[in-house]
Every structure is written in structure tokens, then in C-alpha cells.
Amino acid sequence: MLRPKTEKLELDGAPDLKDPDLYMRNEHHDVFTKLRQSDPVYWNPEADAAGFWAITRYDDIEAISKNPKLFSSAKQKGGHRIFNENEIDENQTEASMISLDPPEHAAYRRMVTPGFVPKRITGMEDRIRARVTRLLDRLAERGKDGTEVEFVDAVAAALPIEVLAELFGVPESDGPKLFEWSNATVGEDDPELRVSDDYMRKCVMEMAGYAAGLWQQRLAQPGDDLISMLAHSNIPNADGKPEPMSFPAYIGTFILLVVAGNETTRNSISGGLLALSENPEQRVKLLNDPSLMPSAVQEIIRWVSPVLHMRRTATEDTEIRGQKIAKGDKVVMWYASANRDEEKWADPFTFDVARYAHPNVPTQLGFGVGQHFCLGSRLAELQLSILFEELFKRFPDIHVSGPVRRLRSNFIAGIKEMPVRLNA
Ligand code: HEM
């Protein structure tokens, strides 16, 4: 079975958080605000499955994420998506780290961690800046004489894909393929991205074939890239003895990296520019004080929350905020809601680039928290800060100049198209 499309449900006026149209219309924040006040552990029935608990408060999400024993990410229990990952077999993969619990999780995470250590990420800075400069040259060319330019394609999508190609040690010209497969993988509810089931199968086959080719090549000729790290790593087997990573486990990890490294950063870039256009005084503040950039990056991720949710499964009967949760129940943590929680911030609906320049501000939860905290967070932050530094140096008046088109998805807060003008 392919990953299922979401079936909509008529809920007699109660919200259906699974409805991808809610996010495409950008109407979810009103719904989350009401739920945080009235029903922060909300039972959301499903048309095609058993239903799930929707968790909308920051503290609850933090507590759940830090308790993997009680709230599992394991694929065999359902995994990290609302649909059950153990019921789909589209790519015959084994679970990647994001769908594993301790202690296996740590072994898998350890294999890829060297690719993301601070020294290595900082070492990419000059190359990322050079890429950004090239992309902005192209943007300038397309937008000369005041012409409107489509920003997602020109910049927001291009940068993370080029960086991912560098991590994998593949040519930039492979970027469009990675882009297409990544879109198809998370786009099950958007007819423009998953045009048909056959198309999805074709993407899965192509991605697996491509990943297999790289595996063979890097087994024979290892380099200093993520694929080589995976191909030459060892994982403890059932008896605790190290053995090479299995091919299905590698494919699972490959797909995770393609999607995780791509969709999230792209949508933070587009969503960040949108927020700065809608709040011109914040753009001026940032232009006048570039030292605010690290704070602005955190605020952009809080504001955009590009990953809307992650799911866990209760391993025992338990309670959250006094609500009984049964063993086996799905628990879905809505980061997009936690990041606007009035219990944490007095003004969560204000976009403030200086917010994180003050002491004792709650960490935003856009990268998750606990065991599965985003492995690529530093890389994403670096891309965002370089991009906005260079963008505003070059085009201080760049602004969104027309309506944006959003992704139809309950998983990724995505922007598919966003017109901009480079000058006032
Ligand atoms: C703004 C950009 C990003 C956001 C908002 C984001 C968000 C997240 C979130 C919420 C999780 C937690 C999953 C959970 O708790 O179940 C996660 C995990 C992960 N992310 Fe990111 N991510 C971003 C960028 C990246 C990049 C650039 C990469 C790699 C190239 C990456 C790789 C990963 C990996 C491998 C995991 C799984 C970690 C684990 O299971 O231990 N992410 N990310």
C-alpha cells in the first residue's frame, strides 16, 4: 500500500485537524487557539482509522517527547506520522531513526551524527554563502526592471537542495530529482504533487534505484559524505555485535534525509520572507541591527513551524492533563500550536525578530525536543541566517507582491509559490 491520502470527516462542527485544507487555507491557528483553551487534549476521530489525541499545549508536547518509553516513535507501533507506517510497504524500507525508540535509535543516530557536528557545519559556511550569492544573482536577473519573480523556485527550494547534494556528495544537477522525490514523498494530499498513485510508485522506484547506485559506488570508493558514512557504518545486531547497516535500513535513512533536509528549510525561507513582508517594521529592525539575525532565525522557525506535527503511540495506559489515554492510542503533537501557546509567551501572535535576544525566552519547538531533536537544526539555522543576511544586503526592499499558494498537507506547512518584487 502507498502512504494513504487523508479522508475527510464531517465532525458536526468539531475541528478535524487531519483535514489538509485547514493548512492550505492557513486557518489552523484559530482552531488551535480554541483547542488550547477549551480542549488541549482533544480526541480527533478519523474516517479511515481509529482516531488520535491531538496535543496542543507546549508543556504537554515537551513532556511526551522526553518520554519515549511511554510515547513511542517505533514503526512497528505506527511510527511518526498520523497514518500507520507499518501498514505501508511502498519502498520496502526498514525504519529510519525517526521511527525508532531507544536503544536502537541512538545507534542509528550515531552513524549520521558526524555529518552534522558543529565544526563540519561551520566549515560549510563559505560554500553556502557562495551558493546564496549565485542564487541571488539569478534572482536579480529575473527580477530586473521591477518584474515580479517566483521566489520559491528561484531561491527557497534551490538552496536546501544544493546543500543536500553537497552532503550526499552528488552533482548539483541531481538536485531537481531529489526535489521531485521529496515533494512526492510528503505530498500525498496535494494533487499537484502526487498526480497519481502510479506517479508516486515511479518516484519511489527511481529514488530507491538512485540510492542503491550511490550505495554501491560509495562502498567501492568511500568519500567524506553522508552516503559513505552510511555505507561503511556498523549497527549492533540482536546480540549486540556490530554489523554493517542493512540495505533496507539505508534506504529508509536516505529517504528521511532527503525529505527532512529539504521541505523544512525551504518553507522556513519562504515563510520567513512572508512574515518579514507582512511585518515591515520587523524587517527594518533587522536591517538596522544585523546582530539580531540569530534571534530572527529562531523567531522565523517558531512562527512558521514548518513541521506541523509528529506522532507517538502510547505504550501503556496513562493520562495527559487528567485525560485518560489507552495503551495503543495515537498521540499527535502539534508543534504549530505549541509555538503559539499563550501559557509560554504573553504575545505569541506577534512576530518579533528580537524575541530571542532577550534572556529566558522559551525555546521554540519547531525542531522538536528530546530524543529525536532535529539533527539538521544547525545546518538549517546556518542556511537561514546566511540567506537573509545576503538577501537584505542586496535587496533591502524585497517584499511579497501577491497571494501565496500553500501546500495541501497536514504535515508540512508549505508554500508552493510566492511572488516577490525586489524593489519598493
Ligand atoms: C527549519 C528546518 C527544519 C525543521 C523545522 C526540522 C524539524 C524537525 C523535527 C520537528 C524533528 C523531530 C522529529 C520527532 O521528534 O519525531 C526533526 C528530526 C530530524 N531532522 Fe529536522 N528539521 C529541519 C531541518 C533539517 C535538516 C536540514 C536536516 C538534514 C539535512 C534534518 C534532519 C533531521 C533528522 C535526520 C531528524 C531525525 C532525528 C532523530 O530521529 O533522531 N532536519 N526535524
Side-chain angles (χ1 to χ4, degrees):
M1 180 175 113
L2 289 170
R3 57 192 65 214
K5 290 178 196 156
T6 298
E7 282 187 35
K8 286 222 227 177
L9 192 59
E10 287 307 323
L11 283 181
D12 257 351
D16 179 11
L17 296 178
K18 219 176 140 184
D19 178 0
D21 289 323
L22 190 64
Y23 309 92
M24 188 178 70
R25 292 195 300 256
N26 197 27
E27 289 171 355
H28 50 291
H29 282 302
D30 286 348
V31 175
F32 283 135
T33 301
K34 285 186 194 128
L35 282 178
R36 280 195 304 278
Q37 307 302 337
S38 62
D39 200 357
V41 185
Y42 166 68
W43 179 251
N44 198 126
E46 291 175 280
D48 52 353
F52 59 87
W53 294 105
I55 313 298
T56 49
R57 285 273 185 201
Y58 184 114
D59 287 345
D60 297 337
I61 292 180
E62 188 177 23
I64 292 166
S65 302
K66 289 183 171 174
N67 193 348
K69 202 161 173 232
L70 188 54
F71 297 104
S72 165
S73 297
K75 180 172 175 177
Q76 70 268 26
K77 295 197 172 68
H80 72 285
R81 297 290 307 269
I82 296 185
F83 60 79
N84 288 330
E85 287 173 61
N86 49 344
E87 288 169 9
I88 62 166
D89 59 358
E90 64 192 17
N91 32 36
Q92 281 109 45
T93 56
E94 273 179 25
S96 67
M97 72 186 100
I98 204 163
S99 303
L100 288 173
D101 289 335
E104 292 84 4
H105 167 261
Y108 277 72
R109 186 162 167 129
R110 217 176 294 126
M111 278 180 324
V112 218
T113 300
F116 293 94
V117 291
K119 194 167 159 233
R120 194 174 168 115
I121 299 302
T122 316
M124 295 174 76
E125 182 168 343
D126 290 348
R127 292 192 299 280
I128 294 179
R129 204 172 290 278
R131 289 181 196 290
V132 166
T133 305
R134 279 202 301 277
L135 291 174
L136 298 185
D137 287 346
R138 202 172 68 185
L139 190 72
E141 184 55 33
R142 288 189 193 177
K144 65 182 178 202
D145 309 329
T147 314
E148 198 165 75
V149 196
E150 204 291 287
F151 183 78
V152 176
D153 174 57
V155 178
L159 179 64
I161 277 290
E162 288 186 10
V163 171
L164 197 63
E166 176 179 336
L167 286 178
F168 285 176
V170 301
E172 253 173 46
S173 52
D174 287 359
K177 286 190 279 204
L178 297 171
F179 179 73
E180 184 185 3
W181 299 330
S182 171
N183 281 344
T185 306
V186 296
E188 68 264 13
D189 284 323
D190 192 320
E192 286 179 19
L193 299 189
R194 178 156 149 189
V195 284
S196 69
D197 288 353
D198 282 348
Y199 167 76
M200 177 66 196
R201 281 192 198 92
K202 179 186 94 74
C203 284
V204 168
M205 293 290 290
E206 282 177 2
M207 181 158 43
Y210 177 86
L214 285 179
W215 167 268
Q216 292 304 338
Q217 190 192 350
R218 304 296 154 83
L219 271 178
Q221 288 174 307
D224 183 29
D225 57 83
L226 276 184
I227 307 292
S228 300
M229 272 175 213
L230 295 175
H232 292 272
S233 53
N234 290 308
I235 301 204
N237 65 15
D239 304 324
K241 293 209 180 92
E243 57 182 35
M245 188 181 209
S246 72
F247 183 68
Y250 157 72
I251 296 281
T253 308
F254 180 88
I255 295 172
L256 168 66
L257 289 169
V258 170
V259 174
N262 181 8
E263 304 286 333
T264 52
T265 317
R266 176 199 319 168
N267 293 309
S268 312
I269 294 172
S270 316
L273 183 56
L274 182 60
L276 288 160
S277 293
E278 288 173 345
N279 298 275
E281 77 297 345
Q282 294 298 314
R283 189 177 51 174
V284 171
K285 206 174 185 178
L286 187 57
L287 277 166
N288 290 341
D289 184 358
S291 75
L292 289 176
M293 190 56 82
S295 165
V297 166
Q298 294 310 312
E299 181 67 346
I300 286 171
I301 295 168
R302 183 188 77 85
W303 190 255
V304 177
S305 292
V307 177
L308 289 160
H309 70 261
M310 287 283 168
R311 168 253 179 111
R312 304 289 189 259
T313 306
T315 58
E316 298 294 338
D317 291 352
T318 184
E319 282 188 11
I320 304 173
R321 273 190 201 249
Q323 173 62 57
K324 288 196 182 336
I325 310 286
K327 178 179 176 177
D329 281 356
K330 287 196 267 189
V331 175
V332 178
M333 309 179 290
W334 294 93
Y335 302 122
S337 173
N339 275 340
R340 304 278 175 111
D341 188 342
E342 316 58 15
E343 275 181 2
K344 286 311 223 199
W345 296 278
D347 56 351
F349 282 87
T350 303
F351 178 74
D352 176 4
V353 292
R355 183 183 297 275
Y356 285 92
H358 302 296
N360 304 325
V361 184
T363 310
Q364 54 81 16
L365 287 191
F367 287 126
V369 57
Q371 194 76 27
H372 292 275
F373 178 77
C374 177
L375 194 53
S377 61
R378 277 172 191 274
L379 180 59
E381 287 163 0
L382 186 65
Q383 291 183 67
L384 282 165
S385 52
I386 295 177
L387 189 275
F388 283 109
E389 265 167 46
E390 297 297 327
L391 187 70
F392 286 136
K393 252 193 244 162
R394 189 105 168 237
F395 312 112
D397 294 320
I398 186 171
H399 60 281
V400 176
S401 53
V404 305
R405 287 183 64 237
R406 291 179 190 272
L407 180 68
R408 187 172 184 273
S409 167
N410 60 29
F411 186 55
I412 296 287
I415 295 181
K416 292 194 290 192
E417 277 175 20
M418 191 170 87
V420 297
R421 283 192 205 281
L422 306 184
N423 302 308

